[in-house]
Amino acid sequence: MSDWHDELEFALLPLEDAKIDSDCMTFVISNALSEQGIFHECRIGYAEGRLGQMATAPHCWIELEQGWCIDLRLRHWLGDEDDLPHGVFQPSNYPRVRYQGTAWLVSRLDTEDLRAMTNEAYSKMKLPWLAGQAAAA
């Protein structure tokens, strides 16, 4: 993982304990990335574990440039196992899971809504350094 992706994952850690599903998590992370001008695409569809044929649908996640993804909710549904993706990752590093979905346009929300959705965890995220580093990653 690049330093930039490590830093991004670390910055998102305050959201892990938020009691929200993947759709709301996608809203929250997308809004934070948009505030910093970081290109990303929200996705809606499903994720399935190829070994156990378990699936979660609907499921939402974020795709970044160069094939990177952000998903903080898949393990909630498929199990907290190391061979399931979590955080900021390359899907190719997790052959047990297959994501399938389409682009999803997410509305911009105001900071008060984002803070309320995450029980104030949104306020604890600090992403001021991301915009300049994203292009270099």
Side-chain angles (χ1 to χ4, degrees):
M1 189 178 323
S2 75
D3 288 342
W4 182 79
H5 293 102
D6 281 338
E7 294 285 330
L8 175 58
E9 184 168 278
F10 184 74
L12 296 174
L13 286 179
L15 297 176
E16 283 188 318
D17 294 329
K19 306 264 189 266
I20 55 178
D21 285 328
S22 66
D23 56 344
C24 291
M25 184 66 76
T26 298
F27 283 158
V28 171
I29 295 171
S30 177
N31 275 264
L33 295 174
S34 293
E35 286 175 10
Q36 298 300 318
I38 297 170
F39 178 80
H40 65 283
E41 185 175 77
C42 299
R43 308 287 285 176
I44 187 168
Y46 66 91
E48 67 179 351
R50 293 181 177 165
L51 296 178
Q53 296 306 316
M54 292 177 45
T56 178
H59 188 71
C60 305
W61 65 96
I62 291 176
E63 292 184 359
L64 301 169
E65 293 181 307
Q66 300 174 341
W68 290 87
C69 289
I70 302 172
D71 189 345
L72 298 179
R73 284 297 174 255
L74 185 64
R75 288 185 181 181
H76 176 78
W77 297 109
L78 298 185
D80 190 14
E81 301 172 29
D82 290 340
D83 60 347
L84 294 174
H86 182 79
V88 180
F89 59 92
Q90 285 277 353
S92 60
N93 293 336
Y94 296 91
R96 178 179 165 193
V97 175
R98 180 172 73 104
Y99 283 87
Q100 184 67 39
T102 59
W104 182 35
L105 184 60
V106 172
S107 301
R108 291 294 302 257
L109 301 174
D110 66 35
T111 302
E112 293 299 316
D113 290 337
L114 295 165
R115 290 173 55 199
M117 288 170 66
T118 62
N119 196 26
E120 300 298 323
Y122 187 82
S123 311
K124 297 174 185 170
M125 285 192 327
K126 303 296 180 210
L127 308 177
W129 39 262
L130 289 178
Q133 306 237 351

